[in-house]
Amino acid sequence: MSTSPLHAVAHLLDTSARICVLTGAGVSAESGVATFRDPDGLWARFSPYELASMDGFLANPDRVRDWYNYRRAIINSVEPNAGHVAIAKLEKMFGASFTLATQNVDRLHQRAGSIRVLEVHGNIHENRCNGCHGVRSDDELTCPSCSGSMRPNVVWFGEDLPEDVFAAAEEAARTCDVMLVIGTSADVWPAAGLPYTAKMAGAQIVEINPNQTSLTPHVHHVLSGTSAVILPQILEAMT
Ligand code: OAD
């Protein structure tokens, strides 16, 4: 009797102790949030240099802030989908042996019930001071503490990831038995390195994505489909 790839992954989760999940923009696609590198993605319509780099911000802070406000409005108007909910359920099942690292800045994982979320690219709902690095959740343009310029609290191209957060994600990658890589093109480093770290440490790597990525040839299991469809099916197939 042959087992379907989905049942093989469900069995893998049933028989594993430590689970790490890495998510990207694809997880929020079925909520109505655009991805970046798909044909209709944000980087096909907007310039990452102008809108996601310090040079772009310094050249035109108002344009950058307007764009992030436009994205915040979209995110605030949508709901988490069944994929987010399934990931939150996995956290409940595995408890402290479960780690979610996300490249997403939209906080839809938290709204779906995920509690411990390693936001390796920051989050769009806060702003951070260019001068003292203080983080605020209001929309002040100038830092009340040091008069520095406030900018979205996300990681831009050329910037370092939040050190502690990424170190925790790397530790989870090094120590997990299974890593689920969901809805990411796996093109943006260093986050894209996490599956390779996990694989080198002996973990089984599962990719869930409707499309092939540069990671696909390196994973043990490929589930070709969208996260809001595949993830609930995996949970359903688990015992
Ligand atoms: P990308 O836009 O690069 O990749 C999105 C991936 O999601 C693609 O591989 C799609 O095939 C897949 N996808 C699309 N719809 C899906 C669905 N319904 N279910 C599952 N997968 C689906 O997004 P990321 O990999 O997240 O940086 O991009 C990484 C970083 O690049 C982002 O964090 C962002 C961007 O610049 C910051 O915001 C700092």
Side-chain angles (χ1 to χ4, degrees):
M1 192 182 82
S2 69
T3 311
S4 75
L6 188 134
H7 281 84
V9 170
H11 179 69
L12 187 61
L13 291 172
D14 274 335
T15 52
S16 297
R18 300 184 72 85
I19 313 299
C20 183
V21 173
L22 172 66
T23 62
V27 166
S28 296
E30 287 155 287
S31 290
V33 181
T35 63
F36 294 92
R37 290 173 189 78
D38 286 305
D40 57 349
L42 292 173
W43 295 154
R45 290 179 280 143
F46 301 100
S47 154
Y49 174 75
E50 286 176 8
L51 297 166
S53 79
M54 183 53 83
D55 286 348
F57 178 72
L58 294 175
N60 195 338
D62 286 346
R63 178 175 51 193
V64 172
R65 289 187 181 120
D66 285 351
W67 189 66
Y68 283 89
N69 284 334
Y70 151 78
R71 288 181 56 203
R72 284 172 182 135
I74 293 171
I75 289 163
N76 287 335
S77 73
V78 304
E79 297 298 328
N81 63 56
H84 296 108
V85 171
I87 292 168
K89 284 185 183 159
L90 283 174
E91 182 180 13
K92 279 208 179 69
M93 289 160 89
F94 285 92
S97 305
F98 179 90
T99 302
L100 169 59
T102 187
Q103 298 164 87
N104 298 345
V105 297
D106 56 28
R107 295 231 152 137
L108 288 176
H109 282 303
Q110 289 90 333
R111 285 170 55 193
S114 287
I115 294 169
R116 203 169 67 91
V117 186
L118 299 175
E119 294 176 312
V120 299
H121 288 167
N123 86 83
I124 200 170
H125 300 288
E126 296 170 339
N127 290 308
R128 162 169 107 240
C129 174
N130 264 338
C132 69
H133 308 298
V135 172
R136 302 179 63 85
S137 46
D138 57 25
D139 51 9
E140 293 285 351
L141 302 183
T142 305
C143 175
S145 307
C146 78
S147 304
S149 194
M150 299 300 291
R151 43 128 335 149
N153 189 21
V154 301
V155 175
W156 283 334
F157 290 102
E159 294 184 326
D160 291 335
L161 276 57
E163 209 173 303
D164 295 357
V165 177
F166 195 64
E170 283 191 306
E171 172 68 11
R174 268 195 301 273
T175 55
C176 67
D177 302 309
V178 182
M179 179 181 274
L180 306 180
V181 185
I182 313 171
T184 176
S185 60
D187 275 343
V188 175
W189 291 74
L194 292 168
Y196 296 98
T197 301
K199 186 180 179 186
M200 274 165 51
Q204 290 281 303
I205 313 300
V206 179
E207 183 176 58
I208 301 171
N209 198 310
N211 301 304
Q212 299 228 336
T213 71
S214 58
L215 179 69
T216 308
H218 305 281
V219 306
H220 302 95
H221 303 265
V222 178
L223 298 181
S224 181
T226 71
S227 48
V229 171
I230 298 275
L231 284 166
Q233 289 177 352
I234 295 175
L235 262 73
E236 183 74 28
M238 287 172 73
T239 53

